[in-house]
């Protein structure tokens, strides 16, 4: 129901008339939101999304090969993909449960090729496990270096690397700075963009 309201402009109307007027002409759906429905019946779910009026979808990498063609066949553009975090960071220790689902030979080059084949423009790092984000500001500076390196490879392929926030990035580090500020201050803006999750921002109390 919320998705339908958003597509029809109802969510904007619930906020302010100005917010509705400023809404983008093209709206998309993050398919993680309907991940259970996608697993049960991808085609029917995508058909319902298209019929509501959405034009773009953000896909999960594990389902990209299946969902990409289905989406395009229904007039939906798979514009972005949430990727397995260690494919970008190279750190599998905190993601061991996922190791079996990703071939050991699959890396950034293969990820880029798959994205290009499905018409994806944005590769998005979606989350950092609690076990891997210790170390304060030095950790985020190291992560920024890695994102810059991968981002350059992605940029050369004509795509864009992005970072997707949650709430923990707004918590103060030991030196008082926020993790998000450290990270985004250290990445090169032409190589790494921020996919701002306003839901998580609102939960932190930040405007």
């Amino acid at each position: 129901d919320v998705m339908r309201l958003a597509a029809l402009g109802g969510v904007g109307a619930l906020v302010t008339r100005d917010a509705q007027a400023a809404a983008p002409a093209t709206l998309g759906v993050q398919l993680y939101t309907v991940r259970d429905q996608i697993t049960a019946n991808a085609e029917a779910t995508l058909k319902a999304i298209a019929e509501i009026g959405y034009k773009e979808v953000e896909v999960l990498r594990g389902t990209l090969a299946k969902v990409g063609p289905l989406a395009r066949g229904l007039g939906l553009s798979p514009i972005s993909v949430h990727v397995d975090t260690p494919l970008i960071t190279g750190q599998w220790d905190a993601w061991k449960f996922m190791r079996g689902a990703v071939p050991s030979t699959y890396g950034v080059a293969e990820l880029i090729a798959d994205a290009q084949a499905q018409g994806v423009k944005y590769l998005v790092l979606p989350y950092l496990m609690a076990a891997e984000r210790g170390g304060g500001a030095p950790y985020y500076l190291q992560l920024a270096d890695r994102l810059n390196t991968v981002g350059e490879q992605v940029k050369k392929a004509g795509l864009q690397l992005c970072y997707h926030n949650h709430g923990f990035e707004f918590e103060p580090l030991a030196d008082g700075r926020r993790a998000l500020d450290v990270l985004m201050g250290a990445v090169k803006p032409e190589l790494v963009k921020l996919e701002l999750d306003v839901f998580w921002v609102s939960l932190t109390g930040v405007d």
Side-chain angles (χ1 to χ4, degrees):
D1 288 342
V2 170
M3 289 165 60
R4 194 180 305 277
L5 274 172
L8 296 175
V11 168
L14 290 174
V15 183
T16 66
R17 192 166 295 177
D18 290 340
Q20 183 179 2
T26 302
L27 294 175
V29 175
Q30 183 187 47
L31 294 184
Y32 183 80
T33 308
V34 290
R35 58 194 178 278
D36 293 337
Q37 292 88 341
I38 286 287
T39 299
N41 193 329
E43 186 170 7
T45 303
L46 292 168
K47 186 173 184 292
I49 287 171
E51 288 175 347
I52 288 172
Y54 288 99
K55 300 300 181 184
E56 298 176 342
V57 289
E58 181 168 71
V59 187
L60 298 174
R61 185 208 62 83
T63 62
L64 179 59
K66 176 182 179 180
V67 169
L70 288 173
R72 292 198 308 276
L74 292 163
L76 295 166
S77 174
I79 194 168
S80 58
V81 58
H82 273 197
V83 307
D84 314 82
T85 295
L87 288 177
I88 303 297
T89 64
Q91 302 299 317
W92 283 96
D93 288 351
W95 297 85
K96 291 178 181 177
F97 66 93
M98 189 182 288
R99 179 74 271 190
V102 182
S104 59
T105 55
Y106 193 94
V108 175
E110 290 74 22
L111 175 61
I112 289 173
D114 285 348
Q116 289 174 324
Q118 300 299 335
V120 169
K121 295 181 180 179
Y122 301 94
L123 304 181
V124 186
L125 189 154
Y127 188 66
L128 298 169
M129 289 288 190
E132 64 184 324
R133 51 180 130 108
Y139 164 75
Y140 288 98
L141 292 173
Q142 184 179 24
L143 176 61
D145 286 342
R146 176 61 182 169
L147 293 180
N148 284 332
T149 298
V150 175
E152 186 171 11
Q153 185 179 354
V154 171
K155 197 76 171 180
K156 287 179 179 177
L159 308 178
Q160 179 67 58
L161 181 65
C162 304
Y163 179 88
H164 179 95
N165 69 279
H166 284 73
F168 63 84
E169 293 94 342
F170 292 86
E171 297 171 2
L173 301 171
D175 63 5
R177 291 183 293 170
R178 299 184 305 185
L180 187 70
D181 296 327
V182 174
L183 179 64
M184 299 312 296
V187 296
K188 295 180 180 179
E190 70 275 15
L191 299 180
V192 184
K193 304 295 184 184
L194 176 63
E195 181 184 65
L196 189 66
D197 189 319
V198 296
F199 166 76
W200 283 107
V201 173
S202 71
L203 286 187
T204 69
V206 176
D207 185 345

